[in-house]
Amino acid sequence: MLRYFTAGESHGEALVAFLSGMPAGLKVNQAFVDRELWRRQQGYGRGGRMKIERDRAHILSGVRHGCTIGSPIAVLLENKDWKNWTEALPVEPGDPAKQKRVASPRPGHADLAGALKYNFPEARYVLERASARETAARVAIGALAKLLLRELGIEVLSHVVAVGGAAVEKEVAWPAIAELYQREEVLLNCADASAETRMKEEVDRVLQTGDSVGGVFEVVAHGVPPGLGTYAQWDERLDALLAAAVMSLQAVKAVEIGSGVAAATSPGSAVHDEIGYEKASGFNGFTRTRNNAGGIEGGVSNGEEIRVRGYLKPISTLRRPLQSVDFASREPVKAAYERSDVCVVPAAGVAAEAMVALTLARCALEKFGGDSMGETQRNCQGYLRQLREY
Ligand SMILES: Cc1cc2nc3c(=O)[nH]c(=O)nc-3n(C[C@H](O)[C@H](O)[C@H](O)COP(=O)(O)O)c2cc1C
């Protein structure tokens, strides 16, 4: 079973990710993993921190001579800013006067709920862990999941569908999304140039006014065969697993599979994807006229592209802070301000790719099994043959 965890504080010494259950013999391409980490750091509207950090995955275990060995994989990502925080966040008791207190909780962050829950007098420890810096650790192990999926013919990428009120108007096909991956200047990771210009204007507007903006990304998994996930048990449904995985990302407040939102207000005839047959097409000849289902019916992948959208609320930290209350005095004050991004939709899309890849890798390993890549691929090939001969 594929399992994973992350650990680490935003300004602590390092982030760590653990991934266990990967078969042995998967080639690990360090440059690919580091490029994924780089992609997460890009996007118009990111804050100053992205300039000091250039993440690199330091693989500590589970990979030898360039390949996984079936043992748990531990990955460490250094926090480059740690040198400025050693006195503020020491492991040992340290000097309480040097702690960087977060004196007033910031609306939209975990600050207040976390301080109440863990009985902290202020929010420093809360934000250190609730921060989306943690997604870097997920992206590192998500990259390994992507490498596994590639061996099974599956690719996972994302693109930005909306920033604030600026949105792409029609579905973006896979080749255009794949082209975005090649970009050296990510900007808003949008495949529609005119929409991207409008998105940039949205970011410029909030930069000028001290506000922030949210948006929508779409993750697309290409080449997924029918049969991942199942309707047989509620917690094995692929749509449920993907929704939880994407919703677990900081600031994601809604998840949509295919055209799920529009479907709720459309007649059935305009929603469901009619079925046809063309002998040489797809995995086994069955075709669809469209993909409103986003590649999943009944909690099972149906052989079409899997399309999952994440809806992000606007960033909570505002340069023009909202009203709050001082933890100590309970007097009204402006919320604390800490260096912040104003728009993270492209980066959230990359983090969501990692979550989708980890989820699909888990389902693929549940279906195909295998302790070595040869075994996993052989089982996968056998199943693909079964589909062709169906
Ligand atoms: C990639 C990424 C980067 C983020 N960067 C920031 C940031 O710089 N400032 C901020 O206030 N929120 C940022 N967020 C969102 C917060 O982490 C998130 O809103 C907060 O932890 C509260 O969690 P919730 O929105 O899921 O309730 C970011 C989210 C993502 C996905």
Side-chain angles (χ1 to χ4, degrees), residues 46 108-109 130 132 250-251 253 313 315-317 340-341 344 347-348:
R46 303 306 301 279
H109 276 287
Q250 294 84 343
K253 292 298 134 197
K313 72 184 186 186
I315 289 295
S316 313
T317 310
S340 177
D341 305 322
V344 296

Side-chain angles (χ1 to χ4, degrees), residues 40 46-47 106 108-110 130-133 135 247-253 312-318 338-342 344 347-348 351:
R40 192 202 71 92
R46 303 306 301 279
R106 299 158 308 159
H109 276 287
S131 155
R133 167 86 187 125
T135 58
M247 185 66 104
S248 76
L249 291 166
Q250 294 84 343
V252 171
K253 292 298 134 197
L312 288 171
K313 72 184 186 186
I315 289 295
S316 313
T317 310
L318 302 182
E338 195 137 307
R339 185 179 48 201
S340 177
D341 305 322
V342 299
V344 296

Side-chain angles (χ1 to χ4, degrees), residues 315-329:
I315 289 295
S316 313
T317 310
L318 302 182
R319 227 174 352 98
R320 206 157 35 84
L322 295 174
Q323 197 56 43
S324 184
V325 169
D326 185 88
F327 272 114
S329 70

